[in-house]
Amino acid sequence: MVDSSFDNASALECLVDGQPAVTLSVLDRGLSYGDGVFETLRVAQGHIGLLEYHMARLRRGLCALRLTVDLVEITSELNAVAQRLRNGIIKLTLTRGTGPRGYAMPNTAQPTRICLSLPPAAYPAERFSAGITLFECQTRLAVQPLLAGIKHLNRLEQVLARSEWTDPAYAEGLVRDIGGDVIECTMSNLFIRHDGRWITPDLSGCGVQGVMRDYLIDRLGESGQPVVVRSIDYATVLQSTEIFCCNSLYGVWPIVGLADISWPVGPQTRHAQALAEQVIK
Amino acid sequence: MVDSSFDNASALECLVDGQPAVTLSVLDRGLSYGDGVFETLRVAQGHIGLLEYHMARLRRGLCALRLTVDLVEITSELNAVAQRLRNGIIKLTLTRGTGPRGYAMPNTAQPTRICLSLPPAAYPAERFSAGITLFECQTRLAVQPLLAGIKHLNRLEQVLARSEWTDPAYAEGLVRDIGGDVIECTMSNLFIRHDGRWITPDLSGCGVQGVMRDYLIDRLGESGQPVVVRSIDYATVLQSTEIFCCNSLYGVWPIVGLADISWPVGPQTRHAQALAEQVIK
């Protein structure tokens, strides 16, 4: 930890290709082109939450980018880092490694693996108990089916959307696609309650397929509440009876305000929160 | 130059924030989110070609990403590196620097500046004299007006498009947008001759606004051949009487083959080549 930026970021440990390091080559294609994927994993009592869901998304991303890595080795490293971290966040980044200038994938790509451990996210408890208000982002997500759903390193749209507000009254921002459909929040997925059913946006054109979203789809389905995955327009969101956002770090935050609409925290949202709590405690 | 990957990439000099270095922090937002821009500049006899066009695009990119840097300092560094390099390529990368986890732009962002010098591109001379055949890429570009035209670090679409072929018979690949319009090639812009006029694709929705494209629009306009900038469908490309691609490294390559169509190298293309030669010699 010789780099002072590490103190600012509160990084606790960093391994690059399994070795303690805080830097990578300026020739890495992760930097040059965002040619890679990442995962942000919650660690509690040395245990990684939703690990199998993270690994499933990682596999989809690696497949989409045609990157080959040793997933057994990665899982082993993640678990070892989690044991040392005990409580916090692991950020895993996999890139296509260094290469000569130019977009062509190197024939002999040697991926770079960065495993960074960080302290727990410090979100106010009221977001969980009393709910949050959403900012309405103007940044629209482009439709790109080849990259939709995966957690790749091309995240300028999220950076632009998140930069639209600084008022801490908004804990998250609602993001729509170029066509106007509602897709997600800047760092979370969205569920809305409509006609007595949960609906979550279809992510086949854009958006990040969050692991908490996938987990909740599975658990709600098992509990007799199948989640409908389909395109959702803005009016439908405003007409919902309950609404929440979710990710693997904080679980479920009820949404109680958007535009001039307000919602109470409903019983179905508390049920989803309880399901999330089972894996993020 | 302690990193062996530098030998593979033939990098000749690298400055990070003005100091000799070959690495950057794993916390850099250029890696995390592709939160930055780059330029690839041709250097001949110590002189940077089209520098004012590169700086103009850089300014547009920095503005789109709300990044603030000292452009006078950057220009000075580029010229100094070019003097030492004499002949080759400078790759300049500017990122938002390091920051804590999360998409929000840091209040006190300290941009990272990477200035890398490389040997000249070694393209076969026949591409210039006899022309090239285009591969038809299936990867479609997403429409994102907020990022269109700028040379940001989110380049997975280009990586995917360029990965579609390995046959050296194809020097470049034609890339269309999600709607089917023709936009550019993977590392070049496109000009087609139609009804006695040059047309180049409108890039307000996607694509990279190349500096050679802008230079040729200016020079052709001055020589009494105003270039029409508009959307172009695939059929129009096939019906063109002349067609070429261009960038600031190689100038103009005539296109002599695409799908089952072949073209001779026409006189107007040779004229455009001569204009390009004036700044890349």
Side-chain angles (χ1 to χ4, degrees), chain B residues 52-83:
Chain B
E52 59 285 17
Y53 285 89
H54 282 290
M55 295 308 287
R57 179 172 60 189
L58 200 56
R59 271 191 292 274
R60 289 197 305 274
L62 294 167
C63 182
L65 302 189
R66 275 175 280 149
L67 260 169
T68 306
V69 299
D70 183 340
L71 288 174
V72 174
E73 183 185 21
I74 289 171
T75 306
S76 168
E77 180 173 275
L78 287 173
N79 282 321
V81 171
Q83 280 295 321

Side-chain angles (χ1 to χ4, degrees), chain B residues 128 212 215-216 246-247 250-252 271-281:
Chain B
F128 190 87
M212 183 56 81
Y215 165 80
L216 287 174
C246 63
N247 78 20
Y250 65 67
V252 167
H271 174 60
Q273 272 189 325
L275 292 173
E277 285 283 274
Q278 292 173 12
V279 285
I280 66 163
K281 277 273 185 178

Side-chain angles (χ1 to χ4, degrees), chain A residues 37-43 48-51 53-55 57-58 78 85 88-94 114 116-121 123 151-153 155 187 208 210-212 247-250 280, chain B residues 32-33 101-103:
Chain A
V37 291
F38 71 111
E39 292 289 332
T40 308
L41 310 102
R42 188 179 198 276
V43 178
I48 300 172
L50 297 173
L51 180 58
Y53 285 89
H54 283 290
M55 296 308 285
R57 179 172 61 188
L58 199 56
L78 287 173
L85 176 62
I89 295 168
I90 298 176
K91 181 172 177 179
L92 171 71
T93 305
L94 299 172
I114 303 167
L116 182 67
S117 63
L118 298 156
Y123 297 120
K151 208 168 168 79
H152 54 68
L153 297 172
R155 299 264 75 103
M187 59 165 188
V208 176
V211 296
M212 183 57 80
N247 77 20
S248 64
L249 296 184
Y250 65 66
I280 66 163
Chain B
S32 300
Y33 308 128
R101 199 186 58 76
Y103 296 124

Side-chain angles (χ1 to χ4, degrees), chain B:
Chain B
M1 301 302 139
V2 293
D3 187 327
S4 67
S5 65
F6 267 72
D7 297 329
N8 300 334
S10 306
L12 303 172
E13 179 183 4
C14 185
L15 301 176
V16 177
D17 296 332
Q19 300 300 315
V22 295
T23 61
L24 86 168
S25 169
V26 296
L27 300 176
D28 197 279
R29 291 172 60 98
L31 171 71
S32 300
Y33 308 128
D35 193 2
V37 291
F38 71 111
E39 292 289 331
T40 308
L41 310 102
R42 187 179 199 274
V43 178
Q45 287 91 52
H47 174 80
I48 299 172
L50 297 173
L51 179 58
E52 59 285 17
Y53 285 89
H54 282 290
M55 295 308 287
R57 179 172 60 189
L58 200 56
R59 271 191 292 274
R60 289 197 305 274
L62 294 167
C63 182
L65 302 189
R66 275 175 280 149
L67 260 169
T68 306
V69 299
D70 183 340
L71 288 174
V72 174
E73 183 185 21
I74 289 171
T75 306
S76 168
E77 180 173 275
L78 287 173
N79 282 321
V81 171
Q83 280 295 321
R84 290 193 289 274
L85 176 61
R86 302 309 298 165
N87 294 288
I89 295 168
I90 298 176
K91 181 173 177 179
L92 171 72
T93 305
L94 299 171
T95 81
R96 203 180 306 277
T98 60
R101 199 186 58 76
Y103 296 124
M105 298 178 184
N107 291 329
T108 55
Q110 187 67 42
T112 302
R113 180 176 82 247
I114 305 167
C115 193
L116 182 68
S117 63
L118 298 157
Y123 297 121
E126 305 83 67
R127 293 185 184 177
F128 190 87
S129 53
I132 65 162
T133 297
L134 288 188
F135 182 84
E136 290 181 79
C137 295
Q138 297 303 306
T139 301
R140 296 281 184 265
L141 301 178
V143 174
Q144 177 48 274
L146 295 177
L147 298 172
I150 71 173
K151 207 166 168 82
H152 54 68
L153 297 172
N154 280 200
R155 299 263 73 104
L156 273 174
E157 292 180 325
Q158 280 72 31
V159 171
L160 291 179
R162 184 57 189 84
S163 76
E164 289 187 43
W165 84 94
T166 53
D167 184 346
Y170 300 104
E172 251 289 26
L174 185 76
V175 187
R176 299 159 70 178
D177 71 9
I178 289 281
D181 279 340
V182 171
I183 301 298
E184 60 191 4
C185 296
T186 65
M187 60 164 187
S188 324
N189 289 116
L190 199 71
F191 284 68
I192 69 168
R193 189 90 186 162
H194 217 262
D195 292 333
R197 297 186 306 181
W198 283 118
I199 315 176
T200 192
D202 173 65
L203 303 178
S204 59
C206 55
V208 176
Q209 191 178 331
V211 295
M212 183 56 81
R213 170 188 183 270
D214 284 353
Y215 165 80
L216 287 174
I217 288 174
D218 287 349
R219 286 300 90 77
L220 287 166
E222 287 168 10
S223 71
Q225 297 199 52
V227 177
V228 179
V229 179
R230 68 164 172 82
S231 60
I232 300 179
D233 63 20
Y234 187 60
T236 301
V237 171
L238 296 181
Q239 291 156 7
S240 60
T241 54
E242 295 188 34
I243 173 169
F244 70 80
C245 57
C246 63
N247 78 20
S248 64
L249 296 184
Y250 65 67
V252 167
W253 285 342
I255 294 166
V256 296
L258 170 65
D260 56 354
I261 309 286
S262 60
W263 290 269
V265 180
Q268 299 300 329
T269 299
R270 291 296 185 206
H271 174 60
Q273 272 189 325
L275 292 173
E277 285 283 274
Q278 292 173 12
V279 285
I280 66 163
K281 277 273 185 178

Side-chain angles (χ1 to χ4, degrees), chain A residues 191 198 216-227 271 275:
Chain A
F191 284 68
W198 283 117
L216 287 174
I217 288 174
D218 287 350
R219 287 299 90 76
L220 287 167
E222 286 168 11
S223 71
Q225 298 198 53
V227 177
H271 173 61
L275 292 173

Side-chain angles (χ1 to χ4, degrees), chain A residues 229-241:
Chain A
V229 179
R230 67 163 171 84
S231 59
I232 300 179
D233 62 21
Y234 187 61
T236 302
V237 172
L238 296 182
Q239 291 157 7
S240 59
T241 54

Side-chain angles (χ1 to χ4, degrees), chain A residues 134 174 182-185 189-202 213 216-217 220 225-246 252-253 255 258 263 268-269 272:
Chain A
L134 288 189
L174 185 75
V182 171
I183 302 298
E184 61 191 5
C185 296
N189 289 116
L190 199 71
F191 284 68
I192 69 169
R193 190 88 186 163
H194 217 261
D195 291 334
R197 297 187 307 181
W198 283 117
I199 316 177
T200 192
D202 173 64
R213 170 187 183 271
L216 287 174
I217 288 174
L220 287 167
Q225 298 198 53
V227 177
V228 178
V229 179
R230 67 163 171 84
S231 59
I232 300 179
D233 62 21
Y234 187 61
T236 302
V237 172
L238 296 182
Q239 291 157 7
S240 59
T241 54
E242 295 187 35
I243 171 170
F244 70 80
C245 57
C246 63
V252 167
W253 285 343
I255 295 166
L258 170 65
W263 291 269
Q268 298 301 328
T269 298

